[in-house]
């Protein structure tokens, strides 16, 4: 299978460059979808989640799924390569690499199914390639895929993902058991006071001052309310108030994100945040409203699947680490709520970070991601991994 995969890499690299040159933002991915489907001729495709699809390789029975994200980000590219995007969008999170790698894997498995060869593919499950829209926006594309019931119809017994990660050197893959990405929720805070002339502050109730204290007070949730062993983030990203320098406005608004690696603390954090915001505003004679919009849950890697995939990658010469965790978020977490899942992080050789207009991992990253997906697929489809009911051996439920 590895040999077949490597035969597909030249076509996959060409596909990656084509996808990179013509990116589409969330909700408008249909041209990207059609191009990927065009690279998978003869395979059964089923439309899902609006601008997404699933493609099945193999016969009947429970499948193992891999994901490729279709969408790009709305930004102007600054890489300078001949195949750079020029349409105001950019694959600055590696989705072009992920899609090309998933296509290479699908084509390789289709090849090994059809070509006569010594031996057989005993013990491998059908592959379901999930071409998912809207990873970068809300509502989540993964949430729609799960809600469509397509994973249940194909009896998906495990979900595999791999994401490029410039924090790791090329040649390294992170296979970390347990929680690897945080939950991510957005909030809006509106503080209302009494407007007036800036020269007479005693006649006003200043919402700007109150908002400043709210921002400071909220940071104590991280340093004093959260368990120091549970990563927690509260970040205010925008603050807006007033229209004139010599006037106290009536209202100040702020928006931000809160993140946690613990589902239990996530719920408590929402409650404490609202209490701190309202009580702090009240102390300055103002009132506050808090809106929290839940986002992605904690991304949890199935421990057994993760460890065994890491062992398989080591056998093939990859450096494997089990220490990479971050308070980044990914809607891949939605798949872990319905099936055992594994998200790997694949090191790439680039100085630019994710979501940077200069982010451009090399073409060799297509092979790296494809090998990671293949290792996860093979491990997840191993008969020893699953009992007769399709659940992991010795594993009754999944978080």
């Amino acid at each position: 299978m590895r040999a077949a995969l490597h035969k597909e890499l030249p076509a996959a690299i060409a596909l990656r460059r084509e996808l990179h040159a013509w990116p589409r933002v969330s909700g408008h991915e249909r041209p990207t979808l059609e191009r990927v489907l065009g690279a998978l001729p003869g395979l059964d495709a089923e439309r899902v989640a609006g601008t997404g699809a699933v493609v099945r390789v193999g016969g009947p029975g429970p499948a193992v799924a891999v994901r490729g994200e279709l969408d790009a980000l709305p930004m102007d590219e600054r890489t300078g390569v001949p195949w750079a995007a020029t349409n105001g969008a950019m694959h600055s999170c590696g989705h072009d690499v992920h899609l090309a790698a998933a296509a290479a894997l699908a084509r390789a498995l289709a090849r090994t199914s059809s070509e006569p060869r010594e031996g057989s593919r005993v013990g491998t499950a059908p592959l379901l390639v999930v071409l998912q829209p809207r990873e970068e926006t809300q509502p989540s594309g993964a949430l729609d895929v799960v809600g469509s019931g397509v994973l249940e119809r194909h009896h998906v017994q495990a979900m595999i993902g791999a994401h490029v990660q410039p924090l790791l050197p090329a040649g390294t893959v992170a296979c970390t058991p347990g929680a690897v990405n945080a939950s991510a929720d957005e909030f809006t805070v509106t503080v209302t006071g009494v407007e007036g002339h800036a020269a007479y502050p005693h006649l006003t109730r200043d919402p700007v001052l109150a908002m400043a204290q709210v921002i400071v007070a909220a940071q104590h949730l991280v340093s004093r309310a959260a368990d120091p062993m549970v990563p927690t983030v509260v970040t205010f990203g925008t603050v807006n108030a007033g229209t004139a320098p010599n006037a106290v406005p009536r209202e100040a608004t702020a928006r931000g994100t809160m993140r946690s690696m613990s589902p239990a603390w996530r719920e408590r954090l929402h409650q404490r945040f609202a209490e701190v915001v309202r009580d702090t505003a009240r102390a300055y004679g103002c009132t506050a409203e808090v809106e929290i919009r839940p986002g992605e849950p904690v991304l949890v890697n199935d421990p057994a699947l993760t460890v065994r995939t890491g062992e398989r990658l080591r056998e093939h010469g990859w450096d494997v680490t089990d220490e990479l965790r971050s308070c980044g978020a990914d809607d891949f977490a939605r798949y872990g709520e319905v099936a055992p899942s594994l998200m790997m992080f694949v090191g790439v050789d680039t100085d630019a970070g994710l979501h940077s207009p200069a982010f451009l991992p090399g073409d060799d990253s297509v092979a790296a991601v494809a090998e990671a997906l293949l290792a996860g697929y093979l491990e997840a489809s191993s008969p020893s991994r699953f009992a007769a009911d399709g659940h992991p051996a010795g594993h009754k439920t999944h978080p």
Side-chain angles (χ1 to χ4, degrees):
M1 290 187 196
R2 291 184 76 223
L5 182 66
H6 281 265
K7 289 181 181 178
E8 295 295 340
L9 289 179
I13 290 170
L15 175 63
R16 179 267 173 119
R17 291 190 174 201
E18 185 176 346
L19 297 175
H20 188 93
W22 296 101
R24 297 295 189 276
V25 297
S26 303
H28 301 274
E29 305 98 335
R30 192 169 301 281
T32 299
L33 173 65
E34 297 301 334
R35 180 60 191 92
V36 176
L37 292 178
L40 302 173
L43 298 179
D44 294 333
E46 177 183 349
R47 304 299 172 123
V48 67
T51 52
V54 298
V55 178
R56 187 179 176 99
V57 184
V64 172
V66 300
R67 183 190 71 165
E69 311 98 299
L70 292 163
D71 56 338
L73 286 159
M75 63 171 58
D76 293 322
E77 181 168 347
R78 296 202 303 268
T79 63
V81 295
W83 37 282
T86 58
N87 64 344
M90 181 187 174
H91 278 297
S92 54
C93 202
H95 294 181
D96 53 332
V97 174
H98 306 163
L99 288 168
L105 177 60
R107 288 170 61 97
L109 294 181
R111 178 197 292 268
T112 60
S113 298
S114 61
E115 291 184 352
R117 57 192 289 270
E118 184 179 347
S120 63
R121 286 177 52 199
V122 174
T124 56
L127 174 72
L128 189 73
V129 180
V130 177
L131 302 173
Q132 182 207 300
R134 288 178 285 104
E135 191 275 331
E136 298 287 1
T137 62
Q138 294 288 345
S140 159
L143 186 62
D144 286 348
V145 171
V146 171
S148 72
V150 68
L151 303 182
E152 287 82 357
R153 291 195 297 275
H154 287 271
H155 304 288
V156 169
Q157 62 187 14
M159 191 82 187
I160 308 297
H163 201 297
V164 293
Q165 177 49 268
L167 296 176
L168 294 172
T172 299
V173 179
C175 291
T176 306
V180 293
N181 274 167
S183 60
D185 306 308
E186 292 186 357
F187 61 79
T188 299
V189 172
T190 304
V191 175
T192 303
V194 177
E195 67 270 41
H197 199 295
Y200 308 101
H202 59 295
L203 302 179
T204 70
R205 295 292 183 267
D206 190 347
V208 177
L209 176 61
M211 181 65 80
Q213 298 304 316
V214 162
I215 294 171
V216 172
Q219 303 311 308
H220 290 86
L221 292 169
V222 177
S223 65
R224 287 297 178 267
D227 183 335
M229 302 304 293
V230 177
T232 304
V233 171
V234 176
T235 296
F236 286 75
T238 70
V239 182
N240 296 281
T243 57
N246 59 348
V248 173
R250 179 176 182 272
E251 190 174 275
T253 61
R255 297 177 60 222
T257 182
M258 60 177 70
R259 303 184 176 215
S260 174
M261 298 289 267
S262 163
W265 167 237
R266 177 193 189 189
E267 295 184 9
R268 177 64 175 152
L269 176 62
H270 290 186
Q271 178 183 348
R272 289 292 294 127
F273 179 82
E275 292 171 352
V276 167
V277 169
R278 292 176 182 133
D279 290 347
T280 301
R282 188 179 302 114
Y284 288 84
C286 299
T287 59
E289 295 182 0
V290 180
E291 178 188 358
I292 298 175
R293 292 174 296 282
E296 310 309 338
V298 179
L299 197 164
V300 181
N301 278 343
D302 180 79
L305 176 58
T306 303
V307 170
R308 292 183 57 170
T309 299
E311 293 171 351
R312 183 182 289 270
L313 286 166
R314 285 190 184 94
E315 291 173 0
H316 291 293
W318 293 91
D319 291 329
V320 177
T321 178
D322 60 1
E323 297 182 353
L324 182 66
R325 295 179 171 86
S326 83
C327 283
D330 194 308
D331 68 356
F332 188 85
R334 298 289 183 182
Y335 300 120
E337 295 184 322
V338 296
S341 67
L342 165 61
M343 170 57 76
M344 293 168 280
F345 299 99
V346 179
V348 292
D349 186 12
T350 175
D351 293 331
L354 297 170
H355 291 206
S356 163
F359 181 72
L360 190 73
D363 288 335
D364 56 350
S365 62
V366 176
V369 171
E371 286 235 16
L373 292 175
L374 175 60
Y377 160 75
L378 291 174
E379 202 53 58
S381 64
S382 170
S384 62
R385 269 277 302 154
F386 292 92
D389 62 359
H391 290 96
H395 183 82
K396 298 302 182 184
T397 60
H398 192 72

